[in-house]
Structure formats: C-alpha cells, structure tokens
Amino acid sequence: MNELLTERVASSSDRRLLSIGVILASVREGRRGEILAKWVVELLGQSPDVHAELLDLRDFELGAWTERIPELDAFVIVTPEYNHGYPGELKTALDSLYNPWNHKPVAFVSYGFSANGARAVEQLRQVVGELRMVAVRDEVNLRVGAYATNERGFPADQGALRSARAMVEELLWWGRLLQEGRRQRALTTAPA
Ligand SMILES: Cc1cc2nc3c(=O)[nH]c(=O)nc-3n(C[C@H](O)[C@H](O)[C@H](O)COP(=O)(O)O)c2cc1C
C-alpha cells in the first residue's frame, strides 16, 4: 500500500454521517403504511450520526430517484402484503436503478393480516439479493389493527419495539461496515 493510500485509509475511522432512506411502498388511498414509515424515520433518527428520510413512492419520479439513491447508505423498506407479494410500485422503483443499490444494507418492516406481511418480505429478499444489497435478518412484522399504538399512532407493542431495536442495530452495523467498505473500494480502484 503506498503512503498516500495508507493515510487515506487511516483517516477512514472518522465517524461519518449514515444516511438512510425509508421507502414507503404503499401508494394506496388511506394507506396504513404512512404512519409506520414515519415511525421508522423517527426511530432511526434517535441514533447519533444518522440522518433518516422518507422516500414516499407516491412521489416516485425517476429523475429525483436517480439523484437521491446514490447518496444514501442504507434503506428500510416499509411494505404491506398484497396477494402474498409486495406492491408493484416497489418493484418498479427497485428495478429503476442497479449500481446505486449495490453493497448497501436493507431492512424490512412489513404489515398485513394472516402472515403480518412476512410473505412480501420473503419475496423481497430474493429481489434485493440480485441488486447486491445485504438484507438484514432482523425484521418487524405487524398484524394490521392488532398491535398496540401510542398517542401518535406509532407501534407501542413491546414485541414490535424489541424487533425494531434489533433491526435498527443490525442495519446501522451493516450500514457503517459497508459505507467503509465502499469507501475503501473506491480508494483502491481510483485512478492513480
Ligand atoms: C389488493 C390487496 C391485497 C391484499 N392481500 C393480502 C394478503 O395476501 N395477505 C394479507 O395478509 N393481507 C392482504 N391484504 C391486506 C393488506 O396487507 C392491508 O390492507 C394493509 O393495510 C395494506 O397496506 P396499506 O394500507 O398501507 O396499503 C391485501 C390488501 C389489498 C388492498
């Protein structure tokens, strides 16, 4: 490793801002997902050095998406289950890009009736693998209308909160690891 590179890599231990996009996959009128996505943004924002923002697929526009996704380090997909799958709008949004998803972690919050949205997440795990994303094992699966909420409508159920904490912890760990990995890879493959 040359001197310049050693110096650049050494400075890599600096704490960097981790920017996380929370993708709200339902675009339906009266959607239940909106409050959950806002909850996730708030949860993430409680961690130091984390910026979290809502990516509402109702506002999906290819130009803005193409500009923003490369800037983000990690994602949470908040998805309902529709006919044992996930919304078509989400597939379109994921398929619209390739490289900007690569080597970034993604976590899932799902909701539905009979399986709490878990079937939608299982399908998504296949899709994000092809996008070279790292799917976080810990996830939140909520039964619509059956979990406790606080005065803001956010989940207050102990089990859900425990799952959410585990999910966030894993996402941040992978997020920082892969942020550094991408950075070092960019340094080592940069033209001399
Ligand atoms: C077209 C459609 C299909 C659905 N299919 C399923 C399903 O297969 N399994 C399930 O558990 N819930 C199913 N549901 C229930 C949804 O998961 C639930 O209504 C949820 O609130 C939808 O998310 P949204 O309100 O954010 O759009 C379906 C709902 C819709 C509208």
Side-chain angles (χ1 to χ4, degrees):
M1 207 183 281
N2 68 36
E3 233 177 80
L4 180 62
L5 191 57
T6 312
E7 199 180 301
R8 284 149 101 195
V9 171
S11 70
S12 69
S13 58
D14 299 346
R15 194 88 165 158
R16 287 163 197 283
L17 184 72
L18 198 70
S19 296
I20 306 178
V22 177
I23 301 174
L24 168 51
S26 171
V27 301
R28 210 174 57 84
E29 195 59 43
R31 59 192 176 177
R32 293 175 189 255
E34 189 167 330
I35 191 77
L36 292 174
K38 287 180 175 164
W39 169 61
V40 173
V41 168
E42 191 165 297
L43 273 184
L44 292 167
Q46 289 167 4
S47 297
D49 306 316
V50 167
H51 158 80
E53 65 188 58
L54 185 65
L55 301 171
D56 187 342
L57 292 192
R58 256 190 203 165
D59 305 329
F60 177 76
E61 196 268 302
L62 186 57
W65 194 252
T66 305
E67 273 182 29
R68 193 61 194 138
I69 300 302
E71 304 290 320
L72 298 172
D73 299 301
F75 300 90
V76 178
I77 295 178
V78 179
T79 185
E81 180 171 306
Y82 294 154
N83 298 314
H84 291 202
Y86 53 87
E89 289 84 358
L90 176 59
K91 187 66 161 65
T92 300
L94 290 170
D95 292 345
S96 302
L97 298 173
Y98 183 67
N99 290 329
W101 300 118
N102 292 180
H103 309 131
K104 295 179 182 177
V106 56
F108 305 96
V109 173
S110 75
Y111 54 102
F113 288 115
S114 54
N116 304 350
R119 287 174 293 225
V121 174
E122 288 302 302
Q123 292 190 9
L124 278 167
R125 288 183 181 279
Q126 296 187 6
V127 173
V128 300
E130 187 56 20
L131 294 170
R132 295 184 194 276
M133 299 182 89
V134 174
V136 169
R137 180 263 182 197
D138 297 272
E139 61 189 49
V140 181
N141 311 112
L142 295 165
R143 168 108 16 152
V144 167
Y147 57 88
T149 52
N150 66 15
E151 66 290 346
R152 299 173 67 195
F154 291 170
D157 185 270
Q158 284 311 308
L161 295 179
R162 218 174 13 252
S163 304
R165 273 195 296 272
M167 180 195 77
V168 168
E169 196 180 314
E170 283 286 292
L171 182 73
L172 299 189
W173 187 78
W174 277 111
R176 297 200 187 288
L177 195 72
L178 294 176
Q179 182 187 52
E180 181 56 23
R182 292 193 309 278
R183 206 180 83 85
Q184 297 220 10
R185 187 164 158 151
L187 288 177
T188 51
T189 56

